[in-house]
Amino acid sequence: MNPSPSSAPIVSAGADRDLFDQSALSDLAQRLVEAAKRAGADAADAVAVRGISQGVEIRDGRVEESERSEGDDVGLRVLVGRRQAVVSTNDVSGDGAAKLAERAVAMARVAPDDKYVGLADPALLAKSFADLDLLDPDVPATAELERRALEAEAAALAVKGVTKSGGASASAGIGGMVLVTSTGFHGSYLRSSQGISATAICGEGTGMERDYDFTSALHAADLISPEKIGGSAGERAVKRANPRKVGTCRVPVVFDPRVAGSLVGHLVGAINGASIARKTSFLKDRLGQQLFASDIRIVDDPLRRRGLRSQTFDAEGVAVKKLAIIEAGVLTSWLLDCATARELGLTTTGHAHRGVSSSPSPGPYNLHLEAGSATPAELIANIKQGFYVTDLIGSGVNGVTGDYSRGASGFWIENGEIAYPVSEVTIAGHLLEIFKSLVPANDLEFRYGVNAPTVRIEGLTLGGR
């Protein structure tokens, strides 16, 4: 990846050092837990979340919108026996902590019993916190964000065939969390984020087509340059000009990396501990079974350095670790928090996520499907007729049955080559069959929260004209 040039002003960490100081949030979380214990809670944890974001949107060389928001929110979870309550606020001043705790305990006392609730086993709590390099100390000023967006738009408009801009944007932010529990855990992290996006349009009237590209990273140095993002958006739009329709058929389908990660997302949704505990997943009886070819490996890695979703502990304070959820094609694990693990008679995998107003629930971190050995061109080379997907529309995936049906656009493959753009089609199949036939290419890049290389799927039904 190429660093974005930094000719415009940058705000140093010294100028915004209060944004990086979580001591007040830590003190508040500690006070809330102590107040909950005094109010009669048997156990409690408090989470304090910091969010700072700024963004600029431009169109036709002019700023359309510039905004900034800052906020700290806190949530308190209390347990009285096997009863639980969660309360949240963004204003705890004066004796507010005591009142919030009293209210939470009163709510818990009238809540229904839940034999699976409870704090994490202290033996599972994180004891050390690796430096994952999650925070860029240089916060871009608004002028710098404007420059990035303007350069991205200019690059898109410079592509031959682009007729107008769909807009461009640049953003930056800081997000962080403090977690304190009555069992003695105290952890915190801060994570920066920066992004650039551009949309380009080609054609006129009803013949217009659009496409986009974007980059996101924790550090400015890891962003793809605005010129490349804008140029890519323009080139993608131009390639989509004058799309054709195709008839209904059953053909191999190749997923562009931009959309291939969605298949990993469907897998992870189906192995979420909450779905398994409720028996609402088509994979509920598939643990330990072969779902993919024997060379397929899918990894969730919360400890990836500068990863978009990296962190050293989960929302219950449990130490996290790299986990191959698919190893040699075999499903090895569910994604569990403490409650779903107890319900299933297992141990948490450290995948608890939580907002200030909700109890923990399982979710992934940095997911990726490992690359294969073939190039994307080699995956396509022996396809006589097929479909290359670049965009998916809608969410027609049934997590209970595994049925898959989504609107799509992309390009027709003919005799091993990309032939012409195609729009307004539906691709359909079953996720078990999709997983079984999936073949990855060798072009994996870590650009998103869920990453995958180009992948080929056999025998999907294409619904056309």
Side-chain angles (χ1 to χ4, degrees):
M1 290 190 177
N2 296 316
S4 172
S6 54
S7 58
I10 297 288
V11 178
S12 70
D16 266 354
R17 59 184 180 274
D18 57 317
L19 300 181
F20 306 106
D21 183 0
Q22 293 178 291
S23 57
L25 289 181
S26 295
D27 292 344
L28 174 56
Q30 185 69 48
R31 285 194 291 115
L32 284 169
V33 169
E34 292 170 355
K37 293 287 286 183
R38 287 195 300 270
D42 296 316
D45 62 11
V47 59
V49 175
R50 167 157 293 168
I52 299 107
S53 64
Q54 57 181 338
V56 173
E57 295 184 12
I58 65 104
R59 189 187 301 268
D60 298 328
R62 297 189 301 273
V63 175
E64 283 199 329
E65 186 174 356
S66 179
E67 60 181 9
R68 179 182 174 94
S69 64
E70 297 184 20
D72 293 337
D73 298 285
V74 294
L76 174 66
R77 178 172 63 139
V78 303
L79 294 105
V80 177
R82 289 297 183 180
R83 300 179 178 186
Q84 174 179 271
V86 178
V87 294
S88 64
T89 184
N90 59 6
D91 181 18
V92 181
S93 54
D95 61 351
K99 290 181 178 178
L100 189 70
E102 290 167 1
R103 186 160 64 249
V105 170
M107 291 169 59
R109 284 176 173 147
V110 297
D113 278 336
D114 183 345
K115 60 183 178 180
Y116 304 118
V117 303
L119 302 188
D121 182 340
L124 300 175
L125 297 176
K127 305 297 192 300
S128 60
F129 307 96
D131 180 8
L132 302 179
D133 198 13
L134 303 182
L135 187 64
D136 188 336
D138 293 324
V139 181
T142 302
E144 166 67 2
L145 297 180
E146 288 181 13
R147 183 192 66 78
R148 293 176 185 177
L150 288 167
E151 288 186 2
E153 182 183 56
L157 290 170
V159 175
K160 184 178 179 181
V162 171
T163 53
K164 61 181 68 177
S165 168
S169 66
S171 62
I174 299 168
M177 184 179 83
V178 173
L179 175 66
V180 175
T181 75
S182 59
T183 52
F185 178 84
H186 194 142
S188 64
Y189 64 84
L190 275 175
R191 182 192 294 125
S192 54
S193 63
Q194 300 193 40
I196 304 167
S197 67
T199 301
I201 300 170
C202 72
E204 300 289 345
T206 58
M208 288 192 297
E209 295 290 334
R210 74 170 59 214
D211 213 321
Y212 67 94
D213 203 355
F214 70 96
T215 177
S216 59
L218 305 190
H219 291 250
D222 295 333
L223 289 170
I224 299 172
S225 71
E227 295 89 348
K228 286 194 174 183
I229 290 300
S232 173
E235 290 164 5
R236 284 176 175 269
V238 170
K239 288 178 181 177
R240 293 177 63 142
N242 303 311
R244 305 184 196 178
K245 312 298 181 190
V246 295
T248 298
C249 54
R250 188 174 173 84
V251 295
V253 175
V254 178
F255 285 70
D256 182 87
R258 191 165 75 177
V259 293
S262 66
L263 299 175
V264 178
H266 298 320
L267 167 71
V268 169
I271 65 170
N272 184 293
S275 297
I276 302 302
R278 291 194 300 263
K279 302 187 185 303
T280 56
S281 168
F282 73 100
L283 295 179
K284 65 183 185 298
D285 301 316
R286 299 278 182 169
L287 189 64
Q289 294 187 16
Q290 189 94 28
L291 299 184
F292 295 80
S294 60
D295 59 346
I296 299 298
R297 190 168 189 256
I298 299 176
V299 176
D300 188 33
D301 186 6
L303 300 174
R304 180 152 58 83
R305 193 168 178 81
R306 294 195 181 190
L308 291 178
R309 302 175 181 173
S310 294
Q311 57 195 68
T312 54
F313 61 91
D314 77 352
E316 295 176 294
V318 173
V320 298
K321 60 184 178 181
K322 185 176 181 179
L323 175 66
I325 55 179
I326 298 292
E327 185 73 76
V330 174
L331 176 60
T332 67
S333 178
W334 311 127
L335 300 188
L336 303 171
D337 64 352
C338 288
T340 55
R342 292 185 189 106
E343 189 167 357
L344 294 168
L346 300 169
T347 301
T348 177
T349 56
H351 281 89
H353 292 257
R354 178 184 172 188
V356 294
S357 59
S358 62
S359 55
S361 60
Y365 299 104
N366 302 302
L367 288 161
H368 73 270
L369 164 65
E370 290 195 349
S373 57
T375 66
E378 289 170 341
L379 281 192
I380 296 172
N382 67 348
I383 297 178
K384 187 174 182 180
Q385 288 191 318
F387 183 50
Y388 185 91
V389 184
T390 58
D391 280 284
L392 292 167
I393 305 161
S395 54
V397 180
N398 189 321
V400 179
T401 65
D403 291 324
Y404 180 94
S405 178
R406 298 194 67 180
S409 60
F411 299 87
W412 191 245
I413 301 169
E414 203 162 88
N415 297 321
E417 301 285 345
I418 299 294
Y420 50 82
V422 171
S423 65
E424 298 180 15
V425 298
T426 300
I427 50 176
H430 192 279
L431 285 171
L432 284 176
E433 296 302 316
I434 289 172
F435 295 159
K436 188 184 300 182
S437 70
L438 184 149
V439 178
N442 65 354
D443 58 339
L444 175 66
E445 293 183 351
F446 292 98
R447 291 187 59 183
Y448 316 111
V450 182
N451 296 281
T454 303
V455 301
R456 173 173 168 171
I457 308 295
E458 302 300 323
L460 290 180
T461 299
L462 200 67
R465 61 172 183 266

